[in-house]
Amino acid sequence: MKASTLYYHLANVPQPEGEAPDGLGDKVNQMLNLAAWAGTAAGVLGIVITGAMMGISLKRGESSEHMSRLGMVLAGCCLIATAGPFASWIFE
């Protein structure tokens, strides 16, 4: 592909405006806040469930891989907590 043809195709790419349409920004922010709240609640619930499973297994004398499960839950919590700042850093 020639450089002039490539330039022609790239020059005709639409450039969207930097702002959301009226009213859409508030709805998107509300949805993202709800998703962040649900993710945080799921992380707390995951920690509680993992702790309960650890207690039940200890009482029964069973050994299980609860620490790896707890690690995965905590990694998910960290991912949820850093999603907003990371996206802001990428898109600004």
Side-chain angles (χ1 to χ4, degrees), residues 14-40:
Q15 299 294 324
E17 295 180 16
E19 294 183 18
D22 292 337
L24 181 64
D26 293 334
K27 291 179 182 178
V28 169
N29 282 336
Q30 185 178 10
M31 182 190 69
L32 290 175
N33 287 335
L34 180 62
W37 179 86
T40 303

Side-chain angles (χ1 to χ4, degrees), residues 1 4-5 9 11-12 21 25 28 42-43 47 51 54 58 77 79 92:
M1 180 180 282
S4 60
T5 307
H9 289 295
N12 291 325
V28 169
I47 292 171
M54 290 171 86
L58 181 64
C77 290
L79 185 63
E92 284 185 2

Side-chain angles (χ1 to χ4, degrees), residues 30-81:
Q30 185 178 10
M31 182 190 69
L32 290 175
N33 287 335
L34 180 62
W37 179 86
T40 303
V44 170
L45 184 63
I47 292 171
V48 169
I49 289 172
T50 302
M53 291 176 68
M54 290 171 86
I56 292 169
S57 293
L58 181 64
K59 188 172 184 175
R60 290 183 181 173
E62 300 172 354
S63 63
S64 187
E65 297 180 5
H66 296 295
M67 292 309 288
S68 63
R69 187 174 297 144
L70 182 62
M72 291 296 288
V73 170
L74 293 176
C77 290
C78 290
L79 185 63
I80 290 168

